[in-house]
């Protein structure tokens, strides 16, 4: 059965100028398995972007594109749902960005379904530019 790994919520203001606003949360998976990430937010017209890194990654590493990603979602409806299979036990980071136009209340939930394998990672290109809080 799936187990809750991380959950919470945080306000994420709309960007000012050309910079996107970003928040992140670190979490640990105790065993190999499949991650299911759900991101909720209030407004249908908000442009919300989501990444799960392949290791614990801070905002500065993320901005410099020093982290690869297990999974990402740069568009779609709400709630946003992402799945990463074959994830090894260990530490990871969830990044959520608000590219506007609304101030948002971001809810996040990370679930882990245990499995016996832990292979498979998805690497993608660089993220957009972000402002530091």
């Amino acid at each position: 059965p799936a187990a809750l790994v991380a959950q919470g919520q945080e306000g994420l203001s709309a960007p000012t100028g050309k910079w996107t606003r970003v928040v992140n949360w670190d979490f640990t998976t105790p065993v190999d398995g499949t991650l299911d990430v759900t991101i909720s937010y209030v407004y249908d017209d908000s442009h919300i972007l989501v990444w799960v890194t392949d290791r614990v990654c801070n905002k500065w590493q993320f901005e410099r594109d020093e982290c690869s990603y297990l999974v990402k979602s740069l568009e779609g409806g709400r709630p946003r749902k992402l799945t990463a299979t074959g994830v090894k036990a260990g530490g990871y980071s969830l990044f959520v960005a608000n590219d506007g136009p609304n101030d948002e209340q971001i809810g996040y939930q990370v679930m882990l379904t245990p499995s016996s394998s832990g292979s498979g990672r998805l690497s993608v290109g660089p993220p957009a530019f972000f402002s530091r809080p």
Side-chain angles (χ1 to χ4, degrees):
L4 180 65
V5 174
Q7 75 174 3
Q9 66 178 26
E10 185 167 331
L12 187 55
S13 62
T16 56
K18 65 179 182 174
W19 301 104
T20 298
R21 302 288 182 164
V22 65
V23 293
N24 71 293
W25 302 276
D26 297 333
F27 63 90
T28 301
T29 59
V31 297
D32 296 356
T34 297
L35 285 180
D36 289 299
V37 179
T38 302
I39 303 297
S40 61
Y41 49 98
V42 178
Y43 301 102
D44 285 329
D45 64 335
S46 288
H47 188 209
I48 303 298
L49 307 102
V50 183
W51 297 264
V52 177
T53 62
D54 68 341
R55 60 188 167 92
V56 173
C57 185
N58 66 44
K59 289 181 185 180
W60 298 274
Q61 292 170 308
F62 184 75
E63 282 182 5
R64 292 187 306 257
D65 195 31
E66 295 176 356
C67 299
S68 295
Y69 311 106
L70 297 176
V71 66
K72 72 173 185 172
S73 176
L74 304 181
E75 57 185 38
R78 64 181 172 102
R80 193 72 56 81
K81 296 186 181 224
L82 299 84
T83 299
T85 60
V87 176
K88 291 219 178 259
Y92 301 94
S93 296
L94 168 62
F95 285 83
V96 177
N98 182 359
D99 204 18
N102 308 298
D103 290 343
E104 275 293 353
Q105 186 67 29
I106 303 296
Y108 66 95
Q109 183 179 64
V110 180
M111 301 292 291
L112 175 69
T113 302
S115 70
S116 58
S117 72
S119 61
R121 307 244 170 171
L122 173 66
S123 293
V124 298
F129 292 97
F130 297 99
S131 63
R132 295 184 186 139

